[in-house]
Amino acid sequence: MHIPTPEDFHALDRWGLVADPMAAIADYSEARAERREQNERHRRARDAHAENTAEELLADPQAYLRLLSRPIDRTKWAYLKRRKAWFHPPIGWGRFAAPGTARVLDLGCGDGDQTQRVAEFVAGRWLETDFDGFPMEIVGVDCNESRVENARRHATSPHPKITLRFEHGDAVDGLDYGDDFFDYTLATGLFEVLGDDDASAVLDETGRLTAAGVYVRDLLDEYPGLHPRPDLPERLAARGFDAVERHRVFEEPFVEEGTTDPLAVWPMNRHQVVFAETSDPTPPEARY
Ligand SMILES: C[S@@+](CC[C@H](N)C(=O)[O-])C[C@H]1O[C@@H](n2cnc3c(N)ncnc32)[C@H](O)[C@@H]1O
């Protein structure tokens, strides 16, 4: 990936997310997903991407993800933050900004770019509603030290009442926080990298740590070493989190040619986005 130019950023602006941050939801249809399958360019892009899978990832995915060293330049970080906004529509995020939400966890936060989007969303919603804010901590946790360092280097709190914190931690082993410590948890692209036993352990841990609701974005297409799980909403429901919204989205706006991302970072994959809530959350006064 080259260093993105201003023109590359303008190309992303043309995706229309400023006017409609949820644009990906209406853009997706099963008919388009079918047409994508018939598109030779898309199939070639997907095969090329699959062939690039590192041998070490296939051999031991968790060790590979833990040890990978991948410092990221600020311009690339900012580009990917916008690029990924397409397939992370902020469904349910209004709950994060509601008075009383004090702790949000981004589990498997990577470089912290989507954690930053959450913080900006909350600060923006407070401004729109003329609300002064509520002391809030947004915590990103990742098992990869170099990605935690990237997040610490590039993410900044957009509001004096929001603290952004990034920690090294392993969601399979469990985090050192009490039950229901967080009001909400996000897991974007986390379950897709976990094998079945690890995914079950992380779903259990997510349920243990989270009082009110969960936002998940996860891959639905098959790739070597990755694990699409169309039944993730049912697995969340089994832990007490019922989907109040679930959508399929493409990784970027649908076009017949296959991509309009000037950097062609990923093929136009399919993902699911889910916001799930507990019916009877433990009230904050019983938790803090
Ligand atoms: C596909 S990336 C997604 C990163 C980020 N959430 C995003 O949406 O851009 C998956 C992330 O999960 C992290 N991860 C994988 N296994 C983990 C584990 N057991 N505990 C914590 N993080 C983990 C990886 O290090 C990686 O940063």
Side-chain angles (χ1 to χ4, degrees):
M1 178 180 168
H2 67 251
I3 305 271
T5 63
E7 183 41 46
D8 295 332
F9 278 85
H10 290 321
L12 295 189
D13 287 347
R14 290 193 283 276
W15 288 3
L17 283 176
V18 174
D20 180 7
M22 307 284 189
I25 295 172
D27 180 70
Y28 182 87
S29 74
E30 293 300 322
R32 285 181 163 186
E34 281 273 308
R35 292 221 297 281
R36 182 194 68 144
E37 286 311 304
Q38 287 149 15
N39 180 318
E40 176 63 28
R41 268 189 70 186
H42 171 73
R43 287 208 305 270
R44 262 190 277 124
R46 208 165 64 183
D47 291 348
H49 199 70
E51 272 165 30
N52 272 339
T53 311
E55 294 287 324
E56 300 89 317
L57 170 76
L58 298 176
D60 186 345
Q62 279 289 286
Y64 175 80
L65 291 168
R66 241 188 345 262
L67 299 174
L68 190 70
S69 174
R70 205 168 60 171
I72 189 167
D73 152 276
R74 181 157 193 81
T75 312
K76 284 186 186 173
W77 184 87
Y79 183 86
L80 289 176
K81 169 171 171 268
R82 281 202 210 186
R83 165 74 183 81
K84 291 189 222 167
W86 178 266
F87 64 112
H88 294 109
I91 57 167
W93 291 15
R95 291 351 175 246
F96 307 161
T101 299
R103 294 168 181 160
V104 175
L105 171 66
D106 187 2
L107 198 53
C109 65
D111 301 327
D113 45 272
Q114 297 309 293
T115 330
Q116 173 83 33
R117 279 190 62 231
V118 170
E120 287 171 2
F121 179 94
V122 170
R125 184 57 66 87
W126 286 351
L127 194 68
E128 272 163 38
T129 53
D130 216 10
F131 176 54
D132 212 16
F134 189 87
M136 176 181 286
E137 200 169 40
I138 303 178
V139 181
V141 173
D142 203 280
C143 67
N144 180 291
E145 292 271 16
S146 115
R147 302 198 77 169
V148 172
E149 271 169 36
N150 290 337
R152 287 184 182 143
R153 193 164 347 111
H154 297 308
T156 45
S157 171
H159 193 285
K161 291 202 176 141
I162 299 176
T163 304
L164 264 180
R165 206 152 50 73
F166 293 95
E167 292 176 0
H168 181 243
D170 190 314
V172 175
D173 295 346
L175 305 189
D176 199 11
Y177 289 102
D179 295 356
D180 288 335
F181 188 85
F182 295 97
D183 301 285
Y184 294 98
T185 295
L186 300 102
T188 61
L190 175 61
F191 295 109
E192 69 191 36
V193 302
L194 300 172
D196 278 343
D197 290 349
D198 288 347
S200 291
V202 174
L203 278 163
D204 288 344
E205 181 64 350
T206 302
R208 185 187 73 76
L209 291 166
T210 314
V214 178
Y215 174 96
V216 174
R217 189 281 303 160
D218 224 48
L219 182 71
L220 282 172
D221 289 337
E222 298 279 348
Y223 278 96
L226 297 181
H227 307 270
R229 294 191 176 87
D231 66 342
L232 257 183
E234 288 71 31
R235 294 186 191 216
L236 287 167
R239 277 117 180 137
F241 295 90
D242 293 315
V244 285
E245 273 200 63
R246 56 192 291 189
H247 304 279
R248 290 184 166 197
V249 293
F250 291 120
E251 202 153 315
E252 61 180 284
F254 177 84
V255 284
E256 301 293 347
E257 317 81 274
T259 184
T260 51
D261 171 3
L263 270 58
V265 186
W266 300 286
M268 199 176 62
N269 295 320
R270 251 175 350 139
H271 297 264
Q272 59 180 327
V273 188
V274 181
F275 192 83
E277 285 187 322
T278 50
S279 53
D280 191 15
T282 315
E285 56 278 17
R287 297 188 285 118
Y288 299 148

